[in-house]
Amino acid sequence: MKIKKGDYGYIKSEKKKRLLRTVGYFIIPVGIFFLGYFLNKGDRMNIYSIIAAVGCIPGCISAVTMIAMWARKPMSEELYKEIDAINGIQTMAYELYITTQECSLFLDAVLFSGNAVTAYCDREVKKQDINAIQLHVKKALRLEKLEDNFRILDISNKKQFMDRIKSGRGSYKMRDHSNEEKMKEIILLLAL
């Protein structure tokens, strides 16, 4: 089963995938370079060297995204099991890394409950980082004409997040779910 962005285990899966993709992107130009080197009897000053140098550009771009993903620590399995045990069938997203020009923030879990979105970060976070990411996400939701009721809670508010999951579970059948998937799609687009 393919792990998609927003699923638990995405970070671990993407680390492997991006490493293999980056290595693959570099193998092709290295192969072209050595082909030209051997065809020209040890002379590296040939058109193959130029093609190989230009061919490294996709590998370099891939290396940047690989490094960004390798810098992320995945969500703990214990936290996932704790959330999953009380969640039920509500719309959730896990392991999202959202960046802005000012800051970046790893969101361990995001709950979509009607028109409200509550995110949880399992570490202490500076208030200005939370405010910057909240503003960034709210702008994106407003652009799509969705309600911008987005809130981030850090580890000091873990109980509040768990209570929010429990209360949302009780009202799941009565609420309109049309906006939940739209909001999830927008937030997944913002994440790495």
Side-chain angles (χ1 to χ4, degrees):
M1 186 172 119
K2 183 179 177 190
I3 298 175
K4 300 178 298 215
K5 188 188 298 188
D7 292 344
Y8 172 71
Y10 175 74
I11 298 289
K12 190 175 180 180
S13 169
E14 280 296 301
K15 284 181 178 183
K16 293 175 190 171
K17 188 187 307 179
R18 291 181 191 211
L19 175 66
L20 293 174
R21 183 184 310 143
T22 301
V23 169
Y25 283 155
F26 280 115
I27 285 175
I28 295 168
V30 168
I32 291 171
F33 173 79
F34 282 115
L35 175 69
Y37 187 77
F38 290 118
L39 289 176
N40 289 298
K41 298 173 182 50
D43 183 18
R44 61 181 176 84
M45 299 295 191
N46 57 60
I47 191 70
Y48 293 103
S49 295
I50 295 170
I51 294 170
V54 173
C56 285
I57 294 171
C60 294
I61 293 169
S62 181
V64 169
T65 64
M66 179 195 70
I67 291 167
M69 190 57 71
W70 275 85
R72 302 285 48 89
K73 181 181 173 195
M75 175 184 187
S76 73
E77 187 175 351
E78 296 79 29
L79 177 63
Y80 172 74
K81 286 180 179 179
E82 184 180 354
I83 291 171
D84 194 47
I86 61 172
N87 179 36
I89 58 173
Q90 295 184 91
T91 306
M92 295 284 295
Y94 299 98
E95 300 185 345
L96 301 179
Y97 185 63
I98 299 180
T99 61
T100 66
Q101 290 180 347
E102 299 85 32
C103 65
S104 57
L105 188 61
F106 183 74
L107 304 175
D108 292 275
V110 182
L111 170 67
F112 300 87
S113 182
N115 291 325
V117 181
T118 308
Y120 175 69
C121 182
D122 197 37
R123 61 194 59 75
E124 283 289 325
V125 182
K126 296 177 194 169
K127 191 68 176 164
Q128 65 262 26
D129 289 350
I130 288 176
N131 292 337
I133 297 296
Q134 283 180 166
L135 182 65
H136 180 64
V137 172
K138 286 179 179 186
K139 282 181 184 177
L141 292 172
R142 270 188 245 126
L143 283 173
E144 295 297 322
K145 299 187 179 19
L146 295 168
E147 287 192 37
D148 60 355
N149 188 0
F150 178 76
R151 186 169 177 206
I152 299 173
L153 303 172
D154 67 358
I155 196 163
S156 63
N157 296 311
K158 183 177 182 179
K159 182 180 178 342
Q160 187 179 355
F161 181 72
M162 296 302 181
D163 290 343
R164 181 73 184 108
I165 293 173
K166 289 174 189 172
S167 69
R169 190 176 63 188
S171 65
Y172 182 79
K173 291 181 181 177
M174 297 179 284
R175 67 179 184 246
D176 178 26
H177 302 286
S178 59
N179 284 342
E180 290 178 5
E181 286 301 323
K182 290 178 192 172
M183 290 188 291
K184 182 177 179 178
E185 186 178 312
I186 299 301
I187 292 174
L188 289 178
L189 287 172
L190 296 174
L192 178 69

